[in-house]
Amino acid sequence: MTTSNRRYHVTTFGCQMNKADSERMAGILENMGFQFSEDPNNANVVLYNTCTIRDNAEQKVYSYLGRQAKRKHSQPDLTLIVAGCVAQQEGEALLRRVPELDLVMGPQHANRLEDLLEDVFAGNQVVATEPIHIIEDITKPRRDSKITAWVNVIYGCNERCTYCVVPNVRGIEQSRKPEAIRAEMEELGRQGYKEVTLLGQNIDAYGRDLPGTKPGGRHLHNFTDLLYYVHNVPGIDRIRFATSHPRYFTERLIAACAELPKVCEHFHIPFQSGDNELLKAMARGYTHEKYRRIIETIRRYMPDASISADAIVGFPGETEEQFENTLRLVEDIGFDMLNTAAYSPRPGTPAALWENQVSEEVKSDRLQRLNHLVSIKAAERSMRYFDRVEEVLVEGQNPKKPAQVMGRTRGNRLTFFNGDISEKGEVVRVKITEARAFSLTGERV
Ligand code: SAH
Ligand code: SF4
Ligand code: F3S
């Protein structure tokens, strides 16, 4: 089929992993000759890359999908694709629910989009959800930014947290080869990118599935070694990584982050709960004491490091006292940022079947109380930047105040200052004159 003048649209829900997958799928579509359309109603191919981490994320997808399914009745040549985690979770069932769909593809199939679409254009309705070995993408991703880029390091998750769908929808851990990761970063450096965020559900579990052992039987590859291996890629000034799991966060990794100048002092390490019994019921594999020790060690090496995390309130059986242990942890540690969520029972996860569910009223009350504490603590943490000079990598214009540009500090605080968009991609020294809970304003020095 000819693809000239044909347009595609991609909407992405969910986490950074999905954003990275979308950029690769958009790259494949452009390579096939499609042009990007901001408006889905103007596109011949509409792709929703979906998230199912909580029920409300999943429901959002169905409402978007409903509108396009309707449009297909008057425009039968519209190609409708559901990719990502809802696609993997629902599979064939999605076709029964939305028969207008042409393609349902799980996250492991993202790089196969061209092959799958050829099947569709040949007249088939296609479901691709079987577990596969993820192939390297040979086309170029269409990246949203020209300055910062995602680079996948490890796909999937081998944990079994009792609330979580991710292992069901993303499959088992698959680490990319260090050479492939470095090659992608070198290409980014050549293209003028300045910052790379290395991605994985549990990035610090990197390498366990790759072949080879060290003398003594340890895995040949691990995340700390990977950081040493990629840190001198020319052109890349900053390296970040997410998400870290407390079980795999070693002192050796912390020491490497302190030693390697390009690795930014920002750590995203979800704790989920501050209560040991709940952590056990969640099957997280650590205690709050262990979590606190990790943060202490980070601060011993890098006193100014910024720390962010995820937490869940209202997990089945959570008592008021146990919830207060989460508040206490947040109070004690003082996070720079915390993603909070009310527990949402998910299909195919053990905790969804337990009888000790917490009521929606209690969940939303706890969520509000936690969020209130988080913004107080984040504002306190932000104050340490006041009057200080920070390095800001300029990423673009402030859409609300065009005289300002915006970028991030090494600690990942969004920062605005009066400047020129031609400074995009430069690291500018900025003196902070205003500190809000989650962003800063300053002046160049
Ligand atoms: N791999 C990461 C987190 C990935 S999922 C880790 O283990 O830390 C992102 C976040 O979604 C989780 O950290 C958790 O806080 C939240 N989450 C996952 N399942 C959830 C559920 N059923 N209800 C509410 N929040 C959930
Ligand atoms: Fe989900 Fe746990 Fe895996 Fe994180 S580690 S993705 S919370 S199962
Ligand atoms: Fe959502 Fe899938 Fe990410 S469920 S949070 S898009 S791994």
Side-chain angles (χ1 to χ4, degrees), residues 16 102 130 162 214 217 268 273 279 344 348 382 412 426 433:
Q16 296 163 331
D102 296 288
E130 69 283 5
T162 49
K214 287 182 183 169
H268 185 70
S273 167
L279 286 169
S344 168
S382 249
N412 211 33
E426 280 175 40
T433 54

Side-chain angles (χ1 to χ4, degrees), residues 68-267:
Q68 292 303 319
K70 210 176 262 168
R71 178 158 82 95
K72 191 157 174 169
H73 292 275
S74 54
Q75 252 168 285
D77 67 336
L78 170 65
T79 302
L80 208 46
I81 307 172
V82 176
C85 297
V86 174
Q88 186 66 38
Q89 178 182 272
E90 297 299 317
E92 298 268 350
L94 209 48
L95 295 184
R96 283 190 285 275
R97 182 160 181 173
V98 189
E100 293 84 354
L101 284 175
D102 296 288
L103 171 56
V104 174
M105 53 186 290
Q108 295 186 338
H109 294 262
N111 294 352
R112 297 183 57 224
L113 178 59
E114 180 163 7
D115 283 353
L116 297 172
L117 266 181
E118 257 148 36
D119 254 16
V120 168
F121 294 150
N124 299 308
Q125 200 178 28
V126 180
V127 176
T129 51
E130 69 283 5
I132 56 162
H133 176 73
I134 295 171
I135 46 165
E136 286 286 336
D137 179 21
I138 33 107
T139 55
K140 294 265 167 297
R142 175 193 189 269
R143 302 195 192 256
D144 284 345
S145 163
K146 297 269 168 275
I147 310 297
T148 64
W150 318 111
V151 171
N152 290 97
V153 163
I154 175 169
Y155 303 101
C157 173
N158 284 11
E159 303 297 308
R160 284 275 155 198
C161 303
T162 49
Y163 51 83
C164 185
V165 291
V166 170
N168 303 344
V169 294
R170 290 260 158 187
I172 55 165
E173 288 173 1
Q174 297 190 37
S175 299
R176 289 177 74 195
K177 297 223 166 62
E179 296 76 21
I181 296 165
R182 190 176 161 109
E184 183 172 350
M185 289 176 69
E186 284 176 347
E187 178 61 24
L188 288 166
R190 278 193 290 272
Q191 291 172 13
Y193 282 86
K194 301 295 178 203
E195 180 179 300
V196 162
T197 302
L198 304 172
L199 286 185
Q201 275 301 350
N202 299 309
I203 197 160
D204 41 353
Y206 174 77
R208 295 192 290 176
D209 57 308
L210 291 174
T213 48
K214 287 182 183 169
R218 304 225 334 271
H219 294 290
L220 184 58
H221 296 281
N222 65 58
F223 185 60
T224 308
D225 292 343
L226 182 73
L227 281 181
Y228 281 106
Y229 177 65
V230 300
H231 90 279
N232 65 351
V233 167
I236 302 300
D237 294 336
R238 285 178 166 186
I239 297 173
R240 303 183 185 279
F241 58 89
T243 299
S244 305
H245 193 294
R247 275 183 67 191
Y248 307 103
F249 212 85
T250 59
E251 180 160 355
R252 186 168 169 259
L253 172 56
I254 296 170
C257 295
E259 181 188 338
L260 297 171
K262 291 182 182 178
V263 177
C264 291
E265 300 75 24
H266 168 230
F267 303 94

Side-chain angles (χ1 to χ4, degrees), residues 277-294:
E277 258 170 64
L278 275 190
L279 286 169
K280 202 167 205 175
M282 290 173 164
R284 289 290 290 177
Y286 54 86
T287 59
H288 79 89
E289 290 89 351
K290 158 96 189 259
Y291 186 84
R292 287 168 193 264
R293 277 197 299 276
I294 291 171

Side-chain angles (χ1 to χ4, degrees), residues 199-396:
L199 286 185
Q201 275 301 350
N202 299 309
I203 197 160
D204 41 353
Y206 174 77
R208 295 192 290 176
D209 57 308
L210 291 174
T213 48
K214 287 182 183 169
R218 304 225 334 271
H219 294 290
L220 184 58
H221 296 281
N222 65 58
F223 185 60
T224 308
D225 292 343
L226 182 73
L227 281 181
Y228 281 106
Y229 177 65
V230 300
H231 90 279
N232 65 351
V233 167
I236 302 300
D237 294 336
R238 285 178 166 186
I239 297 173
R240 303 183 185 279
F241 58 89
T243 299
S244 305
H245 193 294
R247 275 183 67 191
Y248 307 103
F249 212 85
T250 59
E251 180 160 355
R252 186 168 169 259
L253 172 56
I254 296 170
C257 295
E259 181 188 338
L260 297 171
K262 291 182 182 178
V263 177
C264 291
E265 300 75 24
H266 168 230
F267 303 94
H268 185 70
I269 318 176
F271 61 87
Q272 313 301 0
S273 167
D275 182 86
N276 285 346
E277 258 170 64
L278 275 190
L279 286 169
K280 202 167 205 175
M282 290 173 164
R284 289 290 290 177
Y286 54 86
T287 59
H288 79 89
E289 290 89 351
K290 158 96 189 259
Y291 186 84
R292 287 168 193 264
R293 277 197 299 276
I294 291 171
I295 307 301
E296 275 164 27
T297 310
I298 291 174
R299 288 180 168 159
R300 185 150 47 79
Y301 280 84
M302 292 161 277
D304 199 40
S306 79
I307 312 283
S308 61
D310 304 344
I312 297 175
V313 302
F315 184 76
E318 186 186 66
T319 63
E320 172 63 22
E321 261 187 324
Q322 290 172 325
F323 168 64
E324 282 168 13
N325 285 336
T326 293
L327 291 179
R328 193 159 305 125
L329 184 73
V330 171
E331 177 72 47
D332 292 348
I333 289 191
F335 290 94
D336 293 271
M337 208 270 293
L338 185 67
N339 301 318
T340 59
Y343 168 71
S344 168
R346 305 306 294 132
T349 62
L353 303 175
W354 298 349
E355 276 166 15
N356 52 352
Q357 302 290 326
V358 172
S359 74
E360 291 304 319
E361 296 74 49
V362 170
K363 282 191 221 171
S364 78
D365 171 66
R366 288 181 187 167
L367 188 59
Q368 268 184 28
R369 284 157 66 200
L370 179 58
N371 286 342
H372 181 68
L373 178 63
V374 167
S375 55
I376 292 174
K377 300 307 281 188
E380 277 174 31
R381 291 286 293 165
S382 249
M383 277 313 288
R384 76 190 193 283
Y385 291 116
F386 185 75
D387 227 18
R388 238 168 60 175
V389 174
E390 284 291 310
E391 289 179 5
V392 177
L393 172 63
V394 181
E395 289 178 42

